[in-house]
Amino acid sequence: MTHLADNLAGKRVAVIGGGIAGLSAAKDLARLGAGVVLVEKSETLGGHAAGYGCKAADRCVKCGACIVEETIREVRATPGIEVHLLSTLDDVHRDGRYTLTLTPADGLDDAPVVAVQADAVVLATGFKPYDPREKPYGYKTFPNVVTNLELEAMIRGTDQVIRPSDGAAPDRMAFFQCVGSRDAKLGHLWCSQVCCGSALRMARWMRSRRPGTDITFFYIDVQTFGKDFDVFYRAAKDEIRMIRALPADLYPVSEDGLKAVFFDPETHEPREAVFDMVVLSIGLLPGADNPLMATLLDAPLTDDGFLAKTADSADGVFPAGTATGPMSIPDAIQSAEKTVRDVVRYLEKN
Ligand SMILES: Cc1cc2nc3c(=O)[nH]c(=O)nc-3n(C[C@H](O)[C@H](O)[C@H](O)COP(=O)(O)OP(=O)(O)OC[C@H]3O[C@@H](n4cnc5c(N)ncnc54)[C@H](O)[C@@H]3O)c2cc1C
Ligand code: SF4
Ligand code: SF4
């Protein structure tokens, strides 16, 4: 550690994006002795995961949400990290070191433009959630159709799940999986990795609060992750009706009901079922700023539009976290740790 701290003294790294990946990278680099400039577009640190609620029922289900708060505290307490909120990268010059021009985010036109120097850049600009309005599920038209992100925010904000239309607790809930992921028509062939686990955790949390809630899970197949997931999944299957099909249509019926039409995988016949509330498990898409970052910093993109992983960058530009593809909070932390090792190796040589 001392040896690394000596080698990194006087070096500065810009970390673009203050989600869990950027926070972890910033904290680790600063602890290793580098000066860190952390640039975050929004007004708060934490990224998407800062909006998730605790889904512990009788015990912790390892959703990872609290790791984010803990990491923000650690970043705030670590010397050597200069945080720029409501800022984004606008221009880049390289003459030995990088000079990065940070401009204020939209709506802050009178805030100053800042130039910062850096020897290396970590790109942790995260993912963009899929917008499901183009799917035949009435999102933004039927009030009781919400996304998994909105359900997370509801759990975090109110510690309960209610129907937006009337504030009543839903008796019949459905989760539609793979909305915007694994979808050849959209050209999104990837699995978003986290939405099966996230939906099952939210469903079990709801059952622990209101054991009578009837929950149906429409899926293609279940992506498991984490070492305890199999045990968790076996328990979830006892409480949740699992239907291996994705509804083709959803439309309103009397008294705020929503009727889903799907192809029964067992009888091979069309079937219908009515719900009070439907949750769309939307997928993780490439971050909106990936093309800009790729242009400004000459960073390669994958065919899908994520930033290509780079272990050995000649230019000192290293992506981390979901900017490189869908992954969970623990995997985004691991990705940041690996990126920090790559940055250190680069800084030691340059
Ligand atoms: C509905 C849902 C539920 C999930 N549930 C779980 C779960 O239970 N457990 C789990 O482990 N994972 C879960 N995930 C995945 C989790 O959200 C991600 O693993 C995590 O958010 C990745 O962090 P990140 O830092 O890579 O990206 P992000 O969280 O997207 O953070 C990126 C940050 O970069 C900032 N940024 C973007 N562009 C710029 C720019 N140009 N300049 C400056 N800043 C910029 C953004 O404002 C943001 O703060 C879930 C995902 C979804 C969609
Ligand atoms: S990991 Fe998730 S379930 Fe466990 S305590 Fe933290 S927020 Fe709650
Ligand atoms: S994690 Fe589950 S819901 Fe999400 S894309 Fe993969 S299989 Fe579909």
Side-chain angles (χ1 to χ4, degrees), residues 20-21 40-41 48 52 63 88 125 201 289 322 327-329:
I20 187 64
E40 168 54 47
K41 199 178 190 176
H48 285 99
Y52 306 160
C63 75
T88 188
T125 43
R201 280 192 289 261
D289 289 352
T322 51
M327 65 183 79
S328 67
I329 295 165

Side-chain angles (χ1 to χ4, degrees), residues 140-187:
K140 293 283 181 204
T141 304
F142 311 149
N144 296 327
V145 177
V146 301
T147 66
N148 46 355
L149 270 179
E150 288 161 344
L151 197 72
E152 284 278 5
M154 201 186 280
I155 292 173
R156 183 182 177 85
T158 65
D159 206 31
Q160 59 179 342
V161 171
I162 53 163
R163 300 199 318 169
S165 67
D166 58 3
D171 293 324
R172 299 163 299 178
M173 287 276 292
F175 285 82
F176 293 3
Q177 296 305 106
C178 297
V179 179
S181 314
R182 306 180 66 180
D183 188 325
K185 276 194 199 147
L186 295 173

Side-chain angles (χ1 to χ4, degrees), residues 191-199 201 223 225 284 326-329:
C191 164
S192 287
Q193 305 286 329
V194 296
C195 14
C196 280
S198 156
R201 280 192 289 261
Q223 171 71 26
F225 71 93
L284 281 64
M327 65 183 79
S328 67
I329 295 165

Side-chain angles (χ1 to χ4, degrees), residues 49 52-54 60 63-71 73 156 329:
Y52 306 160
C54 174
C60 168
C63 75
C66 54
I67 302 175
V68 181
E69 286 162 21
E70 177 60 26
T71 313
R73 276 195 291 276
R156 183 182 177 85
I329 295 165

